[in-house]
Amino acid sequence: MARWKDVDETKRELLEADLGRLGHALVFLHLVLDRVRAASIVDGQDVLLEPAVEDCRQIERLIREVQCSIIDKFKDQ
């Protein structure tokens, strides 16, 4: 007979799923960042596209902050 999962195990799985989704978001963000950088090199529009690069860096910092916050909350339990 299968055993029931306890509440802590369910919470852990949900937290790991959230961390996984954030990790995937970072991968896609890096793809966008690479494409923007490539476009700036090819088109010579680095001055116009630099704000988009900085926006991507800010998004990455925010995602990493949320990842750390989730991990910290899980450690407290």
Side-chain angles (χ1 to χ4, degrees), residues 3 5-6 8 10 16-17 20 23-25 28-30 34 46 49 51-52 54 63 67-68 72 74 77:
R3 77 181 180 139
K5 291 184 180 182
D6 61 354
D8 291 337
T10 301
E16 288 177 352
H24 283 102
F28 287 117
L29 178 63
H30 287 190
D34 288 345
D46 41 332
L49 293 173
E54 186 53 38
I63 291 172
Q67 286 175 319
C68 290
D72 288 343
F74 181 67
Q77 295 180 3

Side-chain angles (χ1 to χ4, degrees), residues 28-46:
F28 287 117
L29 178 63
H30 287 190
L31 288 172
V32 169
L33 189 55
D34 288 345
R35 290 176 181 156
V36 169
R37 285 181 180 150
S40 71
I41 291 169
V42 170
D43 293 338
Q45 301 294 328
D46 41 332

Side-chain angles (χ1 to χ4, degrees), residues 3-31:
R3 77 181 180 139
W4 290 92
K5 291 184 180 182
D6 61 354
V7 175
D8 291 337
E9 181 68 16
T10 301
K11 282 184 181 180
R12 185 186 61 79
E13 288 175 0
L14 292 172
L15 289 172
E16 288 177 352
D18 288 341
L19 288 170
R21 285 194 296 271
L22 288 169
H24 283 102
L26 282 175
V27 170
F28 287 117
L29 178 63
H30 287 190
L31 288 172

